[in-house]
Amino acid sequence: MQSATKDSGEETPSMLWGLDPVFAAYAKLYVRDILQMTESTQVPGIYFYNSHPVFKVDVLGTVVSKRERDDFFCYGVGKHTDGAQAGFNPEAELEKLRRAQQSRCHLEIGELLRVRGSVKTARLQREITASVYYKVNDPVMAVQIEWMMEVPQLYRQCYDKPFLLQPDVMGDFAITPLNKATNIIKDFLKQKAMSRFRPYDVQDLLQPLISSEPQTESADQEPVPGPSSFQKLSQLLNQALQLLQDEGFLYCRVKSQEDVYHVTAEDKELFMAVKDVIREDSKRAKYAEKGCHILHILSAVRQRFSLNVSRTALELVLTSLECSSDIISTSENHYILI
């Protein structure tokens, strides 16, 4: 496959790549996504998945082809010690080590392979130059099941969420008042362990951001008419609350003149409502085998609990329930109660 490249004007500048945690990690991507990643025009050997810079990956798959030499092994991957003896004989131990290494590193078609390494494009084909690889003994498919549960979660939580850090015109990372406002509200709610609040509970926290804004003046040094400080504060607060709702951090259970916002991670009633939906509907023949799809859960929660629960808020709840072993994902976006 020939590597596709993207316009350098669309890429995040290379000096900011280190701010993305994916860049420093071995990305556990599906083979199809590794093949489809676009190569950077700034630095050869760096690729982009959904704006995340990637250069090393971690793959688990079945061997479908192989080419072996004494000093070189090439495997095609599809999607998806003895007891102690008396005394110590260095030669015998080295021979055991050599045999063990050979048995783990020489693979046959159909065997399970785990490989970590850097991605490159050579001879018009996408390849992985392995730094570590070995045969995986998985007679009851425990490793594969764990992998199939972990990777979709990584996609939901990280890989499928674009890398949004953008430089300003001077080339430095821009920290806007809106960024500061959302962080201030988040920190306050976490410190107070609040499960619900009204806008006026956090409004005063943002006042310093308005007070520190420079005053706009005309050429003759007279102030230019504009919105009042109160209007600026109200606008910043509304923008911050909307951004937190978009992220799923907050949701508003009932829309009214004086909205009450609920902190998703602290709302025990929402967690119970989601568990009840999964518990009850998993008993139906339609969902008994694979579990309930996230869109069905979202629709049911909106009908039975609140029309204003967003998908991002539901994803946060499902992730938390899965981490606490209350539910499991049987396949991508399908869940059942344990």
Side-chain angles (χ1 to χ4, degrees), residues 224-271:
V224 176
S228 65
S229 295
F230 177 79
Q231 290 173 323
K232 291 180 180 179
L233 180 61
S234 179
Q235 182 181 21
L236 180 61
L237 176 62
N238 290 335
Q239 290 176 341
L241 292 176
Q242 184 59 54
L243 183 58
L244 291 173
Q245 288 182 87
D246 294 341
E247 294 177 358
F249 186 83
L250 304 176
Y251 79 100
C252 195
R253 185 181 297 183
V254 179
K255 293 289 185 181
S256 63
Q257 274 191 323
E258 295 186 1
D259 291 335
V260 176
Y261 290 89
H262 293 256
V263 181
T264 304
E266 300 293 335
D267 193 343
K268 293 181 173 58
E269 293 182 21
L270 175 59
F271 276 65

Side-chain angles (χ1 to χ4, degrees), residues 1-231:
M1 167 186 163
Q2 187 171 3
S3 174
T5 58
K6 63 193 292 186
D7 182 7
S8 61
E10 299 176 0
E11 294 181 10
T12 304
S14 57
M15 64 180 296
L16 297 178
W17 290 350
L19 298 175
D20 189 341
V22 175
F23 183 65
Y26 284 92
K28 293 184 177 180
L29 296 171
Y30 295 123
V31 171
R32 67 171 181 269
D33 292 329
I34 295 174
L35 294 175
Q36 294 172 0
M37 289 192 302
T38 56
E39 188 170 9
S40 171
T41 57
Q42 301 176 69
V43 182
I46 304 297
Y47 299 83
F48 284 92
Y49 175 78
N50 198 17
S51 77
H52 294 287
V54 174
F55 74 97
K56 53 186 181 180
V57 295
D58 189 343
V59 173
L60 179 74
T62 303
V63 176
V64 296
S65 66
K66 68 174 185 175
R67 286 186 290 125
E68 295 183 346
R69 298 203 309 255
D70 290 339
D71 60 344
F72 173 81
F73 306 103
C74 180
Y75 297 104
V77 181
K79 294 183 178 179
H80 178 63
T81 62
D82 294 334
Q85 299 177 353
F88 178 76
N89 187 331
E91 292 184 0
E93 295 302 320
L94 284 173
E95 179 62 20
K96 290 179 185 177
L97 181 60
R98 188 189 67 80
R99 290 178 180 176
Q101 182 183 26
Q102 187 176 29
S103 67
R104 296 295 298 273
C105 295
H106 286 255
L107 296 99
E108 301 297 332
I109 303 298
E111 291 184 319
L112 192 63
L113 171 68
R114 177 80 177 271
V115 57
R116 281 185 166 192
S118 57
V119 182
K120 71 173 185 176
T121 302
R123 298 177 297 277
L124 301 182
Q125 291 192 351
R126 190 64 52 80
E127 299 177 352
I128 300 173
T129 302
S131 55
V132 176
Y133 77 95
Y134 56 89
K135 178 172 63 178
V136 179
N137 294 319
D138 192 25
V140 296
M141 300 185 68
V143 175
Q144 295 173 76
I145 292 172
E146 181 181 3
W147 185 275
M148 288 187 290
M149 293 177 63
E150 179 187 11
V151 173
Q153 186 171 342
L154 287 172
Y155 270 81
R156 290 194 298 269
Q157 295 180 345
C158 186
Y159 303 150
D160 284 340
K161 293 184 177 180
F163 179 41
L164 297 178
L165 300 180
Q166 296 295 336
D168 62 14
V169 294
M170 299 301 294
D172 296 320
F173 178 64
I175 301 178
T176 65
L178 182 57
N179 298 142
K180 294 179 180 179
T182 55
N183 289 333
I184 288 172
I185 294 174
K186 278 184 178 180
D187 292 342
F188 174 76
L189 295 175
K190 289 177 180 178
Q191 289 174 6
K192 299 296 184 179
M194 298 176 68
S195 61
R196 66 185 69 182
F197 67 96
R198 296 183 185 274
Y200 57 71
D201 294 327
V202 297
Q203 179 171 287
D204 290 344
L205 299 173
L206 308 185
Q207 184 63 53
L209 300 179
I210 301 300
S211 302
S212 62
E213 285 187 354
Q215 297 294 325
T216 304
E217 298 182 348
S218 62
D220 57 1
Q221 301 298 312
E222 292 186 3
V224 176
S228 65
S229 295
F230 177 79
Q231 290 173 323

